[in-house]
Amino acid sequence: MYICVMYSSELIKGTLKTIVLNLLKDNDKMYGYEITQKVKELTDSKIQITEGALYPTLHALEKQGDVTVEKVYIGKRVRKYYILTDQGVTTVADRVNELSDFMKTMRFLLDLDSSVQNV
Amino acid sequence: MYICVMYSSELIKGTLKTIVLNLLKDNDKMYGYEITQKVKELTDSKIQITEGALYPTLHALEKQGDVTVEKVYIGKRVRKYYILTDQGVTTVADRVNELSDFMKTMRFLLDLDSSVQNV
DNA sequence: ATTAATACCTAAGAAATTTAGGTATTAATT
DNA sequence: AATTAATACCTAAATTTCTTAGGTATTAAT
């Protein structure tokens, strides 16, 4: 047993779209619930996407043309698979580059690179 | 002449307090306007803290006991120097560690370390 | 004399997320 | 067999954080 320490919610803000888009880049198609579980698994529960944040985000990505939806019925339960569009592929690259650059700037600003303990 | 490309505002959200606290850690005392200029200078204008965001943040930090204020009059113009408290020193360390850890997680999640072009 | 820079501030609005619900199916447990 | 947990979708009010757009006033530069 261990105590799970999530990141404070402010930090995660602003990165949700990038996380979702990047997962779709690597996985061809994913559905909402799957995304929440995958992020939880990959981050050892340190980032947990809430459904109240995810679903509006997915709908926004669809509206702006970065993803398309494919409905699949598993028995009577519906699943909505999200798939990157060509535009979405470009958007992911832009977003990831920007976040990468931003993190580099933050590392410099907080003087993290000179620190010995980059654990 | 060059075109300045700021980061999209979503990214900067959630890091403002950490940036301010960390600057105070390195500079003993700073005033608001000085902070905006220092961040602009250090980030080559890629991060520009607006005063509408900064002043409420400084007031919040004061309220929660992480900084104290020292008024100084330069002629007739007032300057409010902000200084880290002992509690503030602890808060900075916590915040910076958390952000550092978060960025490491994001690098893993976005698969940035395997990329060749870590420019 | 006028503009730019310095230096503080607030308040309405926007954006993103949390919180707190809701519905329904399927699998696991008691 | 009945209850709980997990799967799978959703929305809407409230909260947080920031942007935008003001405001005041002093000092330096044009």
Side-chain angles (χ1 to χ4, degrees):
Chain A
M1 197 203 82
Y2 76 109
I3 298 166
C4 165
V5 182
M6 277 190 66
Y7 299 121
S8 63
S9 59
E10 308 105 280
L11 284 184
I12 304 172
K13 288 187 182 185
T15 57
L16 181 55
K17 268 187 184 169
T18 308
I19 291 172
V20 170
L21 287 169
N22 193 71
L23 273 181
L24 290 175
K25 185 192 72 185
D26 293 334
N27 291 277
D28 287 16
K29 62 178 185 176
M30 293 183 90
Y31 54 98
Y33 187 77
E34 186 184 13
I35 292 173
T36 65
Q37 299 308 302
K38 193 72 181 174
V39 170
K40 190 179 172 184
E41 177 201 327
L42 286 172
T43 65
D44 202 15
S45 296
K46 284 184 285 190
I47 298 178
Q48 291 182 47
I49 298 179
T50 60
E51 300 190 341
L54 179 65
Y55 289 114
T57 296
L58 286 171
H59 301 158
L61 287 174
E62 187 188 359
K63 198 173 178 184
Q64 70 193 38
D66 286 325
V67 299
T68 50
V69 186
E70 192 183 277
K71 277 192 189 182
V72 175
Y73 283 87
I74 309 294
K76 288 173 186 172
R77 188 190 289 163
V78 73
R79 252 188 213 167
K80 289 188 171 180
Y81 279 102
Y82 288 88
I83 299 141
L84 272 189
T85 61
D86 288 347
Q87 180 194 303
V89 173
T90 307
T91 304
V92 188
D94 290 346
R95 289 255 182 188
V96 172
N97 279 334
E98 191 190 19
L99 182 52
S100 176
D101 195 297
F102 174 70
M103 291 196 292
K104 217 184 61 164
T105 298
M106 286 303 296
R107 294 184 69 81
F108 170 72
L109 200 56
L110 301 185
D111 202 29
L112 290 175
D113 293 311
S114 66
S115 170
V116 183
Q117 45 190 32
N118 281 336
V119 189
Chain B
M1 197 204 81
Y2 76 109
I3 298 167
C4 166
V5 182
M6 279 190 64
Y7 300 121
S8 62
S9 59
E10 309 103 280
L11 283 184
I12 302 172
K13 286 189 182 183
T15 57
L16 181 54
K17 269 188 184 172
T18 307
I19 291 172
V20 170
L21 287 169
N22 193 71
L23 273 181
L24 290 175
K25 186 192 71 184
D26 294 335
N27 291 277
D28 288 14
K29 63 178 187 178
M30 292 183 90
Y31 54 99
Y33 186 77
E34 187 184 13
I35 293 173
T36 65
Q37 299 307 304
K38 193 72 182 176
V39 171
K40 189 179 173 185
E41 176 201 327
L42 286 173
T43 66
D44 202 16
S45 295
K46 284 184 284 190
I47 298 179
Q48 291 183 45
I49 298 179
T50 60
E51 300 190 341
L54 180 65
Y55 289 113
T57 296
L58 287 171
H59 300 160
L61 288 174
E62 188 188 357
K63 197 174 177 183
Q64 70 193 40
D66 285 325
V67 300
T68 49
V69 186
E70 194 183 276
K71 277 192 187 181
V72 173
Y73 283 86
I74 309 295
K76 287 173 186 172
R77 187 190 289 163
V78 72
R79 252 187 211 168
K80 290 189 172 180
Y81 279 102
Y82 289 88
I83 300 142
L84 273 189
T85 61
D86 287 347
Q87 180 193 304
V89 173
T90 308
T91 304
V92 187
D94 291 347
R95 288 255 182 189
V96 172
N97 279 334
E98 191 190 18
L99 181 53
S100 176
D101 194 298
F102 174 70
M103 290 195 294
K104 218 186 59 168
T105 299
M106 285 303 296
R107 293 184 71 80
F108 170 72
L109 200 57
L110 301 184
D111 203 29
L112 289 175
D113 294 311
S114 66
S115 171
V116 182
Q117 48 190 33
N118 281 335
V119 189

